[in-house]
């Protein structure tokens, strides 16, 4: 089963697909790749909009593409890519930003050093607010923070996602391999934005992982993804 946990396929809501036509083209490509399920995760910035307005716009964007969806397209679940902000810690509505049917939130870290305050903020979301966290494209933050501080974040009860694109590029591929080896990666995504950028498919990324680690790791990713969709706990997934 091919599961894509990170995408910007909804039209006109962020820097992803600009209109319905582009959304459908992206979904056609995913269908050709054999993707079974994709989570639509438009960007959410709490400094720019409210949770209520974001959900309204996201749901409207989904309604727009619904009549054009084809049987071969992957199943779409609604979610969001939530940029961490200290202002979100303690927010009672955080659970509304989770992936449809689950308690998992795709959390994007700020593009700065991951410091103690951020780590304690994420910890509070988990322990005080009962959130389940999937950290988005964990390999990316190494451009901004040390491996040590990324590990401190990932050593919390969080799951990790990597982008297929990062596996295709030589420099980031080795970071991804290291993070997979350390057990910090549970699922993958394409982070697909625009058709013109020719994002690598999920399949391309999966092939690279398989070549390095064997089929077993892809089975693990699939198992983890299915467990997330069933809203299993962190301990059930990692244990
Ligand atoms: Fe993204």
């Amino acid at each position: 089963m091919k599961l894509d946990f990170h995408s910007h396929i909804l039209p006109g809501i962020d820097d992803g697909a600009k209109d319905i036509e582009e959304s459908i083209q992206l979904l056609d490509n995913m269908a050709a790749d054999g993707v079974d399920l994709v989570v639509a995760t438009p960007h959410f910035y709490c400094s720019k909009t409210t949770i209520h307005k974001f959900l309204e716009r996201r749901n409207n964007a989904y309604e727009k593409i619904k009549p054009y969806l084809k049987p071969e397209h992957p199943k779409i679940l609604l979610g969001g890519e939530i940029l961490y902000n200290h202002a979100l810690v303690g927010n009672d509505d955080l659970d509304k930003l989770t992936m449809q049917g689950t308690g998992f939130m795709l959390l994007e870290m700020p593009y700065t050093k991951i410091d103690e305050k951020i780590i304690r903020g994420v910890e509070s979301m988990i322990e005080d607010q009962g959130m389940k966290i999937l950290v988005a494209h964990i390999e990316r933050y190494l451009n901004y923070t040390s491996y040590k501080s990324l590990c401190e974040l990932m050593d919390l009860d969080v799951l990790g996602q990597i982008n297929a694109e990062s596996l295709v590029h030589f420099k980031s591929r080795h970071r991804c391999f290291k993070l997979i080896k350390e057990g910090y990666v549970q699922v993958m995504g394409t982070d697909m934005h625009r058709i013109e950028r020719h994002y690598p498919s999920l399949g391309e990324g999966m092939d690279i992982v398989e070549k390095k680690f064997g089929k077993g790791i892809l089975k693990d990713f699939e198992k983890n993804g299915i467990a997330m969709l069933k809203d299993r706990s962190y301990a059930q997934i990692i244990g």
Side-chain angles (χ1 to χ4, degrees):
M1 226 182 158
K2 273 189 181 169
L3 306 169
D4 185 343
F5 280 91
H6 189 159
S7 76
H8 299 268
I9 52 168
L10 295 182
I13 183 164
D14 60 5
D15 56 346
K18 70 175 189 319
D19 54 24
I20 295 168
E21 197 188 342
E22 188 168 12
S23 294
I24 300 303
Q25 280 179 317
L26 292 172
L27 286 163
D28 286 345
N29 288 350
M30 287 180 176
D33 185 39
V35 176
D36 297 284
L37 179 142
V38 57
V39 188
T41 53
H43 289 288
F44 171 75
Y45 304 114
C46 74
S47 57
K48 288 188 183 165
T49 187
T50 64
I51 292 176
H52 177 78
K53 279 186 192 150
F54 166 75
L55 295 177
E56 201 173 31
R57 285 190 66 220
R58 183 200 64 187
N59 296 348
N60 286 341
Y62 177 55
E63 288 302 318
K64 278 186 201 157
I65 58 164
K66 248 179 158 178
Y68 303 95
L69 295 177
K70 302 170 191 168
E72 63 267 30
H73 283 163
K75 178 180 160 68
I76 299 172
L77 289 184
L78 298 179
E81 179 178 9
I82 315 308
L83 180 66
Y84 176 86
N85 187 311
H86 294 309
L88 285 175
V89 181
N91 186 311
D92 289 339
D93 288 331
L94 217 48
D95 57 341
K96 293 184 177 151
L97 294 170
T98 52
M99 180 172 80
Q100 195 178 345
T102 80
F104 284 95
M105 181 169 81
L106 182 68
L107 188 67
E108 178 182 32
M109 302 315 295
Y111 296 94
T112 57
K113 181 181 171 350
I114 297 175
D115 62 16
E116 187 64 18
K117 192 176 174 194
I118 292 174
I119 292 169
R120 296 287 79 85
V122 177
E123 187 178 49
S124 172
M125 286 176 172
I126 298 164
E127 290 185 2
D128 305 326
Q129 297 179 259
M131 296 298 297
K132 296 190 221 176
I133 304 287
L134 172 63
V135 182
H137 40 56
I138 61 171
E139 74 282 5
R140 264 219 213 157
Y141 311 114
L142 293 172
N143 292 328
Y144 310 90
T145 201
S146 66
Y147 192 76
K148 185 171 170 278
S149 60
L150 179 64
C151 290
E152 277 172 39
L153 171 75
M154 297 311 297
D155 284 338
L156 298 174
D157 288 353
V158 297
L159 303 181
Q161 175 259 316
I162 53 169
N163 283 353
E165 187 179 31
S166 303
L167 285 153
V168 170
H169 297 298
F170 181 77
K171 187 183 161 203
S172 43
R173 180 183 306 162
H174 289 277
R175 287 178 177 176
C176 290
F177 285 169
K178 191 171 179 195
L179 292 164
I180 292 171
K181 261 187 216 150
E182 295 289 329
Y184 289 133
V185 181
Q186 277 68 48
V187 292
M188 290 174 59
T190 54
D191 202 1
M192 188 82 70
H193 280 70
R194 303 297 311 274
I195 200 87
E196 68 204 14
R197 257 207 57 195
H198 304 291
Y199 278 80
S201 67
L202 191 64
E204 283 173 78
M206 288 169 76
D207 287 348
I208 293 167
V209 171
E210 185 181 336
K211 216 168 157 194
K212 175 75 179 174
F213 296 99
K215 264 195 181 5
I217 191 81
L218 295 183
K219 276 277 153 220
D220 288 345
F221 287 175
E222 183 183 7
K223 194 167 69 69
N224 296 333
I226 291 170
M228 285 176 65
L229 298 174
K230 289 183 177 169
D231 200 25
R232 300 283 189 251
S233 67
Y234 170 82
Q236 284 170 320
I237 296 172
I238 293 295

